[in-house]
């Protein structure tokens, strides 16, 4: 990375016909020079930091105006990145924004920003810590209110503070150990039991954070729920009911759905991708066969599988065969549909989790509750912060290192041996917070960001 460069990108979402305004962000030593060269501000407007200027961006020919804009100058270090930042607020959509960005990029000393580069610069300059930068990205990506709340907790420093405290507790123990190594004779003997207890306590907290983070992933990434079953049991009707629109074609002909259909919904704050599948049966129809193959893939990749049966028909051999096909590790629900009709017979050990009528909209609430309970997403209310995958991996490594450190202690080895694993645990926690930072970590964090962040 070259710090004499100025970077630029569109910082807002780009979509044709959408967004009244769009923001082009420039950061770096030439940001102001470029802003002055490109934006013509009529009258006597003063180029002062943190003030809004009004003007025009001229086309390269210097004759006609590309757009009417507002410009916001934020001089270093009082900016998001800690460098000179210029934001050009132009009109939204696609074409104008691209034209203005092209004009920016024609200027000397500026290049397109890489994904996450603004945030990376902010971290490098100490304007933002690592977990807060990740939280910004998660906030932008949030697909449900609960996911946004968790991201906001990260942005408020919840993760940073929690991990920093744990790391400091370990540092305290390390200092005690090292003092014993260096000045054993001069100090009172070390209470191993207390030290070990402390390491175990930190380890236990880390494990809780890892487990909570995993559950929170469901809230962030959402659940994939596959609706499977024989033809004509009402899978598509159920999809339509939950989606509140006629997403899938429903007919009384078995084999209506032949392709995998997805519908995005939010239930109790949890984003859910519903997959409507082709009814699984033996058939000679080639298209239907392909559809059935997709149903089987959906069945294998879903977070929850809902097997729908026709309660009027009762439990059939075909239902039993499908039930057996659901991978054992995947949470499953048995839903008996068409409860408005007379009930067929069910074996006593196969009682449905939910009885409902997709046609009449009955039993929907029970289904939603059962889905959330089966996936574990309903339990997401108990925690306030949630580590992302990167942070969890490091927390888990730290917990393992602490466990080794305690094992070593049990083997009566000299103090030096304890410190090796303890140091490793401290290092992993430092990588979460950014206290210990290197190119690899930065690469891992920021490559997942989108451009303009
Ligand atoms: N009485 C009654 N009929 C229903 C109910 N749910 C769906 N149906 C009817 O059952 C028929 C089949 O419904 P679909 O939703 O197309 O069934 P599917 O499982 O998607 O069928 P395939 O796509 O062929 O696999 C339609 O005529 C629906 O109106 C229900 O709860 N009660
Ligand atoms: Mg269907």
């Amino acid at each position: 990375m070259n710090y004499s460069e100025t970077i630029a990108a569109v910082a807002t979402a780009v979509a044709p016909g959408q967004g009244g305004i769009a923001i082009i962000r420039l950061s770096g030593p030439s940001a102001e020079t470029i802003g002055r060269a490109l934006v013509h501000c009529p009258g006597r407007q003063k180029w002062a930091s943190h003030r809004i200027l009004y003007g025009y961006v001229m086309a390269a020919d210097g004759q006609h105006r590309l757009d009417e804009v507002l410009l916001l100058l934020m001089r270093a270090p009082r900016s998001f990145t800690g460098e000179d930042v210029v934001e050009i607020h132009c009109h939204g959509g696609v074409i104008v924004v691209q034209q203005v960005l092209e004009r920016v990029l024609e200027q000397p000393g500026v290049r397109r920003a890489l994904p996450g580069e603004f945030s990376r610069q902010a971290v490098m300059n100490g304007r933002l810590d690592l977990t807060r930068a990740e939280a910004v990205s998660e906030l932008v990506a949030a697909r449900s209110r609960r996911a946004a709340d968790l991201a906001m907790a990260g942005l408020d420093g919840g993760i940073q503070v929690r991990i920093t405290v744990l790391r400091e507790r370990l540092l305290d123990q390390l200092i005690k150990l090292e003092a014993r190594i260096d000045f054993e004779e001069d100090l009172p003997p070390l209470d191993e039991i207390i030290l070990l207890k402390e390491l175990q306590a930190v380890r236990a907290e880390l494990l809780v954070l890892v487990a909570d983070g995993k559950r929170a992933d469901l809230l962030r990434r959402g659940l994939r729920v596959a609706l499977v079953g024989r033809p004509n049991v009402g899978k598509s009707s159920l999809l339509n009911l939950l989606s509140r629109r006629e997403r899938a074609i429903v007919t009384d002909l078995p084999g209506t759905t032949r392709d995998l259909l997805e519908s995005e919904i939010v239930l109790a704050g949890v984003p859910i991708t519903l997959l409507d599948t082709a009814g699984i049966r033996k058939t000679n129809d080639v298209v239907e066969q392909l559809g059935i193959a997709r149903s089987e893939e959906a069945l294998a990749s879903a977070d929850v599988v809902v097997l729908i049966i026709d309660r009027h028909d009762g439990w059939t051999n075909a239902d039993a065969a499908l039930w057996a096909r659901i991978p054992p590790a995947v949470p499953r629900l048995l839903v008996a549909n068409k409860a408005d009709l007379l009930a067929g017979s069910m074996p006593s050990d196969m009682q449905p989790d939910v009885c409902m009528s997709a046609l009449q909209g009955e039993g929907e609430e029970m289904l939603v509750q059962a889905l959330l309970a089966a996936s574990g997403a309903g339990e997401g209310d108990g925690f306030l912060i949630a580590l992302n995958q990167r942070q969890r991996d490091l927390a888990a490594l730290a917990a393992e290192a602490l466990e080794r450190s305690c094992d070593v202690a049990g083997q009566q080895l000299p103090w030096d041996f304890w410190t090796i694993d303890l140091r490793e645990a401290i290092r992993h926690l430092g990588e979460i917070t950014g206290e210990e930072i290197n190119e690899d970590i930065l690469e891992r964090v920021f490559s997942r960001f989108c451009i303009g962040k």
Side-chain angles (χ1 to χ4, degrees), residues 59-72:
D61 62 11
Q63 298 301 311
H64 76 284
R65 295 168 175 180
L66 280 183
D67 197 9
E68 183 183 28
V69 302
L70 293 177
L71 183 144
L72 172 57

Side-chain angles (χ1 to χ4, degrees), residues 106-340:
E106 282 161 20
Q107 307 300 308
V110 62
R111 65 168 170 81
R112 234 176 248 280
L114 301 170
E117 200 171 2
F118 292 101
S119 305
R120 180 176 176 146
Q121 204 59 260
V123 169
M124 298 297 294
N125 288 335
R127 297 292 291 177
L128 195 64
D129 61 48
L130 209 50
T131 62
R132 282 186 176 87
E134 291 178 292
V136 171
S137 168
E138 281 154 20
L139 186 61
V140 174
R143 289 167 61 203
S144 71
R145 205 180 270 227
R146 184 80 182 108
D149 286 349
L150 284 171
M152 213 36 228
L155 194 56
D156 285 341
I159 295 173
Q160 197 73 14
V161 170
R162 191 77 184 272
I163 300 291
T164 302
V165 167
L166 293 176
R167 183 167 175 271
E168 274 165 9
R169 280 168 65 182
L170 295 182
L171 276 170
D172 284 347
Q173 303 310 314
L174 181 67
I175 290 166
K176 277 192 205 158
L177 275 172
E178 289 188 327
R180 289 314 181 287
I181 295 168
D182 296 339
F183 315 102
E184 178 123 41
E185 313 74 61
D186 315 332
L187 291 167
L190 185 67
D191 190 335
E192 284 180 34
I193 308 281
I194 291 182
L195 197 150
L196 273 178
K197 264 203 183 135
E198 179 68 354
L199 299 192
Q200 291 289 11
V202 171
R203 179 171 167 264
E205 281 201 38
L206 287 172
L207 293 179
V208 169
L209 285 175
V210 171
D212 284 354
K214 264 190 204 149
R215 281 194 285 146
D217 256 8
L218 292 178
L219 298 170
R220 282 199 273 244
R221 147 181 90 77
L223 285 178
R224 282 173 75 80
V225 174
L227 308 175
V228 301
R230 291 187 293 118
N232 236 14
V233 294
K235 299 178 291 299
S236 300
S237 305
L238 187 55
L239 178 91
N240 289 347
L241 174 72
L242 291 172
S243 317
R244 298 280 183 272
R245 63 195 173 110
E246 299 305 305
R247 173 77 179 82
I249 297 173
V250 168
T251 72
D252 53 4
L253 303 172
T256 303
T257 308
R258 294 164 156 227
D259 210 341
L260 200 62
L261 280 182
E262 295 194 5
S263 182
E264 306 266 338
I265 59 170
V266 175
L267 293 179
V270 182
I272 292 187
T273 305
L274 285 177
L275 305 171
D276 181 19
T277 63
I280 298 179
R281 63 169 171 181
K282 282 216 162 36
T283 170
N284 292 325
D285 183 309
V286 180
V287 179
E288 198 179 344
Q289 279 173 357
L290 291 172
I292 292 173
R294 291 190 178 187
S295 304
E296 303 202 345
E297 278 167 30
L299 200 146
S301 72
D303 296 308
V304 180
V305 172
V306 178
L307 179 72
I308 300 159
I309 60 170
D310 184 329
R311 197 179 75 137
H312 180 64
D313 294 345
W315 185 248
T316 68
N317 288 338
D319 294 326
L322 279 175
W323 188 246
R325 258 182 19 231
I326 303 173
V330 180
R332 57 179 74 191
L333 282 182
L334 182 59
V335 172
N337 190 34
K338 309 199 184 181
D340 51 298

